[in-house]
Amino acid sequence: MYRKLDEAALGAILEAGIAEFARCGFQPASVAAVAKSAGVSVGVIYKYFGDKDAFFLACVRHSLDLLDATLREAAAGGGPLEARIQRLILALIRQSRSHASYNAMYNEITSGSCRRYAGTLAREIESRTAALYARLFDEAQQAGRLTERIEPQLFAFFFDNLLMMLQFSYSCEYYQERMRIFCGDAALDDTKMADRLTRFLLGAMKGDVCSISSLTTSEPPESRPACSEPNRISG
Amino acid sequence: MYRKLDEAALGAILEAGIAEFARCGFQPASVAAVAKSAGVSVGVIYKYFGDKDAFFLACVRHSLDLLDATLREAAAGGGPLEARIQRLILALIRQSRSHASYNAMYNEITSGSCRRYAGTLAREIESRTAALYARLFDEAQQAGRLTERIEPQLFAFFFDNLLMMLQFSYSCEYYQERMRIFCGDAALDDTKMADRLTRFLLGAMKGDVCSISSLTTSEPPESRPACSEPNRISG
DNA sequence: TATTGACGTGAACAGTCATTCACGTCATGT
DNA sequence: ACATGACGTGAATGACTGTTCACGTCAATA
């Protein structure tokens, strides 16, 4: 019992930390509660991680590794773009259900009490997916699969916005409740949700070549043939 | 000085509260700090609002009123659907910039330390927009302006997801940094951002009538004519 | 087996914060 | 001008939490 903690014990501490931070947020999380839930004394957390701040960052990074693996696995398979997107969405939904704490902790990271980590963590967390998605949609655009009327980075941004909200919707209480208000029972059917979001995204990728002529436009990336449909219906 | 506080003074306390809750989150927010920043003693906050929980709810509701007004105003004008959507987006972006605390507080509401309000607040906050958007897209679908392949409520859900993330992206530090990572300088141009998101949404509304035949489909709301384009390009 | 010291333990400390309430102040009514 | 009491004040209270460190334990070594 008085030997250095092994990998598994440290992992258990990190898991307990993730659960606690996800449950309360950074500041209200209690180090003593983490220690108790992990079956160790507070002392070891300070010996191994320094202080609460460093422990928090360790928890974030630990959860990042696992999320990364999920993402990579889901994105790895080949196949048509549509199928890949749908697979990614479904994987994220399922991962959010089964590892709710991980996603809930992400939500906590974005909160005000983590303000001083905002820059660092945003860069650490988002730059990977940002680059990945930007490349994906850049290639799609070159292959003529993504409308020329939206820059690939912006498309990647909207895409990730939808994915993040979907993850929160399956792992944080507030967002769960919100999804139920919006979708009713439709929220319960993972396959349906993934299917509809895929359709939504594919529609957005194809773009609407008509009916935007009247809008304020700022340097449209490319002009397109005129619209062949009735122009608009005011509602 | 020893008269009952007037409307303005109470408003100032609520504003100070919103700023504090937005800055730290619920638990770390200090009632004493709010009192100091509002120029009153802690006592009055307890006299007028009961306790910290009740004060928090009062702040949320106060900010809701103002947000509601913005939303209603932006949604009120007529005109073509496209223009209305774009106007709404632009209004939300500008409102997020000018009243960052309000949106940042929303983000805090979704956090774990507000768990016990999740149900109540979600219902209070979201049901208005949820119903509004669902009706909007229901009408659009009946007018043939929204693809039949997505249920209006789900479309409204995705729509609001995008709007929420956009608001956070202009008011919370973490999301601001994230947006910069994804979009670079494009994030700075409000008109451009509103324009691109509008295009994205209009594309999604129109839907992609092709190329989903290979996907897992769950009870597609309606069948559509076969696609006339090459089917897919694997990437 | 005796010794050693690396290691985890958890009581104790210092600081913070929500909440209370005895008190001082001043607008009002006479 | 005085008495009254409604009202805000802010020091005090009690609870809680991050962090430390003197101590006990036990695996390894000779």
Side-chain angles (χ1 to χ4, degrees):
Chain A
M1 208 181 178
Y2 285 86
R3 289 295 84 188
K4 208 165 198 161
L5 295 181
D6 58 14
E7 205 69 22
L10 286 177
I13 295 175
L14 289 169
E15 290 287 337
I18 290 170
E20 175 78 359
F21 287 125
R23 201 175 60 84
C24 321
F26 174 70
Q27 240 255 31
S30 145
V31 178
V34 174
K36 188 174 179 186
S37 134
V40 297
S41 71
V42 270
V44 306
I45 294 184
Y46 285 88
K47 280 256 169 73
Y48 280 87
F49 299 99
D51 60 10
K52 193 184 176 183
D53 284 58
F55 178 59
F56 174 67
L57 290 177
C59 287
V60 172
R61 282 170 189 138
H62 184 247
S63 79
L64 265 189
D65 289 346
L66 298 183
L67 272 180
D68 244 20
T70 306
L71 203 70
R72 217 181 296 273
E73 192 187 311
L81 190 60
E82 299 82 358
R84 284 165 64 197
I85 288 177
Q86 194 177 38
R87 222 167 41 224
L88 178 62
I89 294 171
L90 201 54
L92 287 178
I93 290 178
R94 294 198 168 136
Q95 197 256 18
S96 299
R97 277 200 202 278
S98 58
H99 293 83
S101 309
Y102 290 34
N103 287 291
M105 192 168 72
Y106 279 127
N107 192 29
E108 298 298 337
I109 290 172
T110 69
S111 88
S113 69
C114 298
R115 157 162 298 120
R116 62 184 175 293
Y117 307 127
T120 318
L121 286 181
R123 222 160 273 284
E124 221 167 292
I125 296 172
E126 309 289 348
S127 45
R128 289 176 262 199
T129 45
L132 186 76
Y133 295 159
R135 185 146 30 83
L136 181 70
F137 291 115
D138 203 40
E139 285 169 15
Q141 198 171 64
Q142 279 168 32
R145 306 272 300 159
L146 172 63
T147 172
E148 305 271 336
R149 309 187 86 251
I150 303 183
E151 294 81 355
Q153 314 99 279
L154 283 180
F155 198 93
F157 178 57
F158 301 144
F159 178 72
D160 195 53
N161 284 353
L162 285 164
L163 296 190
M164 279 191 77
M165 285 298 285
L166 199 70
Q167 287 174 271
F168 291 155
S169 298
Y170 283 100
S171 43
C172 309
E173 282 193 33
Y174 181 91
Y175 287 109
Q176 272 171 348
E177 187 61 28
R178 172 175 170 275
M179 179 165 64
R180 247 174 265 132
I181 291 167
F182 268 91
C183 309
D185 290 338
L188 301 175
D189 184 340
D190 296 357
T191 324
K192 182 173 177 180
M193 182 59 79
D195 181 69
R196 297 305 187 271
L197 183 52
T198 308
R199 290 181 190 180
F200 185 93
L201 285 165
L202 293 182
M205 284 184 70
K206 200 165 189 197
D208 177 11
V209 293
C210 322
S211 76
I212 322 193
S213 57
S214 72
L215 298 178
T216 314
T217 53
S218 61
E219 27 142 351
E222 188 134 333
S223 64
R224 278 290 192 128
C227 178
S228 60
E229 253 182 63
N231 229 358
R232 73 192 62 88
I233 300 169
S234 71
Chain B
M1 206 178 180
Y2 285 85
R3 287 296 81 186
K4 209 166 196 159
L5 295 182
D6 59 13
E7 205 70 22
L10 286 177
I13 295 175
L14 289 168
E15 289 287 336
I18 291 170
E20 175 78 0
F21 288 125
R23 200 175 62 84
C24 322
F26 174 70
Q27 239 255 29
S30 147
V31 178
V34 174
K36 189 174 177 186
S37 134
V40 296
S41 71
V42 270
V44 306
I45 295 185
Y46 285 88
K47 281 255 169 74
Y48 281 87
F49 299 99
D51 60 9
K52 191 182 176 182
D53 284 57
F55 177 58
F56 175 68
L57 290 177
C59 287
V60 172
R61 283 172 188 137
H62 184 248
S63 80
L64 264 189
D65 290 345
L66 298 183
L67 271 180
D68 245 20
T70 306
L71 204 70
R72 217 181 296 273
E73 191 188 312
L81 189 61
E82 300 83 356
R84 283 165 66 198
I85 289 178
Q86 194 177 36
R87 222 167 42 224
L88 178 62
I89 294 171
L90 201 53
L92 287 177
I93 290 178
R94 294 200 168 135
Q95 198 256 16
S96 299
R97 277 200 203 277
S98 58
H99 294 83
S101 308
Y102 289 34
N103 287 290
M105 191 167 75
Y106 279 127
N107 192 29
E108 299 297 337
I109 291 171
T110 69
S111 88
S113 69
C114 299
R115 154 163 300 121
R116 64 185 173 292
Y117 307 126
T120 318
L121 286 180
R123 222 160 273 284
E124 221 167 291
I125 297 172
E126 310 288 348
S127 43
R128 289 175 261 199
T129 46
L132 185 77
Y133 295 159
R135 184 147 30 84
L136 181 71
F137 291 114
D138 203 39
E139 286 168 15
Q141 198 171 63
Q142 279 168 31
R145 307 270 301 157
L146 172 63
T147 172
E148 304 271 335
R149 307 186 87 251
I150 303 184
E151 294 81 355
Q153 315 98 279
L154 283 179
F155 199 95
F157 179 57
F158 300 145
F159 178 72
D160 195 53
N161 284 354
L162 285 165
L163 295 190
M164 278 193 77
M165 286 298 284
L166 200 68
Q167 287 175 269
F168 291 156
S169 298
Y170 284 99
S171 44
C172 309
E173 282 193 32
Y174 181 90
Y175 287 110
Q176 272 171 349
E177 187 62 28
R178 172 175 170 274
M179 179 166 64
R180 247 174 265 132
I181 292 167
F182 266 92
C183 310
D185 291 337
L188 302 175
D189 184 340
D190 296 355
T191 324
K192 182 173 176 179
M193 181 59 79
D195 181 69
R196 297 303 189 273
L197 183 53
T198 307
R199 291 181 190 181
F200 185 93
L201 285 165
L202 293 182
M205 284 184 70
K206 199 166 189 196
D208 178 10
V209 293
C210 322
S211 76
I212 322 193
S213 57
S214 71
L215 299 178
T216 314
T217 53
S218 61
E219 27 143 349
E222 188 134 332
S223 63
R224 279 291 192 126
C227 178
S228 59
E229 255 182 60
N231 229 355
R232 73 194 61 89
I233 300 169
S234 70

